Amino acid sequence: YNLTVLISGNGSNLQALIDACASGALPNTRITHVISNRQKAFGRERARNASIPDSYHNLVQYKKKHPQTPEGIEAARKEYDADLANIILASKPRPDLIVCAGWMHIVTPSFLTPIADAGIKIINLHPALPGEFAGAGAIERAWKAGQEEGLKRTGVMIHEVIAEVDAGDAIVTKEVELRKDESLDKLETRIHGVEHGLIVEGTKKTLEGIGAARAK
Ligand code: GRF
């Protein structure tokens, strides 16, 4: 199977996928393209070190072509998303699956529709449980709820990507207990550790489903 991985930052989840392909944890699977929406994302370095083609898809150049008004920014995002879909659909080989691994860009139907029409699934890692702490800063919000409201646990999920943010059907989830007086740093480290296992498990499960559907 061919994977395209979308990243925005450190790429530790990308690294988990790279390692899983190398170790056979993801059988006959390779990452054929890494796309970042941040030029300096360290994950791009990780791709290069693994001889994986990487590209930077730059939203700023789209915004420059439109007025700095809400309508202009919306038009820029639509073009950006449509081109992102075209880049992926034009890639050789085409991916069987797109994995959003720390991808901090809300995709719109301009991206989702052409990808869905091409029969390509998209999954996303989100460091919270279904229906909880959608959007950015999920770990910190959960940590605060633990310290201030006595929330007992948070978690991590891999879910199908739909237009609504962090709201697609969960593929795999894992709870993470919240500990009184634990620093945010320590919680983040524990959660990232869970992410690295879950992103492989969620990708494996999704690919098995794709394989089964094709075998019919
Ligand atoms: C995840 O918690 C993700 O939601 C957030 O950063 C972590 C992924 O980082 N954006 P990485 O780039 O995979 O290391």
Side-chain angles (χ1 to χ4, degrees):
Y1 294 101
N2 300 311
L3 303 178
T4 290
V5 182
L6 307 185
I7 62 165
S8 299
N10 174 24
S12 66
N13 284 283
L14 165 66
Q15 192 62 57
L17 291 169
I18 290 170
D19 298 346
C21 291
S23 72
L26 284 175
N28 49 57
T29 298
R30 67 212 61 78
I31 299 167
T32 47
H33 194 187
V34 169
I35 302 174
S36 174
N37 68 333
R38 302 259 172 80
Q39 188 170 25
K40 300 219 177 336
F42 183 67
R44 298 186 69 191
E45 202 65 35
R46 296 178 191 268
R48 272 178 232 131
N49 290 341
S51 314
I52 298 169
D54 77 293
S55 33
Y56 163 45
H57 193 44
N58 172 7
L59 180 58
V60 173
Q61 73 189 37
Y62 290 83
K63 286 187 168 176
K64 280 185 182 147
K65 291 187 293 184
H66 293 271
Q68 284 305 308
T69 61
E71 299 76 19
I73 290 168
E74 192 189 349
R77 290 180 67 90
K78 275 201 170 83
E79 278 176 33
Y80 176 91
D81 277 11
D83 282 356
L84 179 60
N86 292 331
I87 289 163
I88 291 171
L89 294 175
S91 60
K92 302 235 175 330
R94 255 189 191 186
D96 298 291
L97 176 62
I98 297 167
V99 185
C100 298
W103 170 254
M104 303 305 277
H105 171 88
I106 295 172
V107 291
T108 66
S110 301
F111 173 71
L112 294 167
T113 305
I115 296 295
D117 290 351
I120 299 173
K121 266 189 190 293
I122 314 169
I123 62 175
N124 178 53
L125 158 78
H126 184 62
L129 292 174
E132 296 183 5
F133 307 116
I139 300 175
E140 177 152 8
R141 289 151 55 202
W143 174 76
K144 243 188 168 69
Q147 298 305 315
E148 292 169 9
E149 298 152 32
L151 184 66
K152 289 276 167 283
R153 54 102 194 92
T154 182
V156 181
M157 68 170 163
I158 306 296
H159 64 92
E160 304 234 355
V161 173
I162 59 170
E164 192 187 343
V165 179
D166 297 330
D169 290 344
I171 295 157
V172 283
T173 64
K174 190 160 176 58
E175 291 196 354
V176 176
E177 64 161 350
L178 289 168
R179 295 172 184 161
K180 196 98 196 74
D181 306 328
E182 178 179 47
S183 69
L184 172 57
D185 243 24
K186 284 259 187 325
L187 174 63
E188 276 182 346
T189 303
R190 284 197 297 128
I191 287 187
H192 289 328
V194 170
E195 288 173 347
H196 301 155
L198 215 64
I199 197 155
V200 174
E201 190 185 339
T203 299
K204 188 168 175 1
K205 199 169 168 194
T206 306
L207 291 175
E208 284 166 354
I210 290 168
R214 286 179 183 170
K216 278 198 185 98

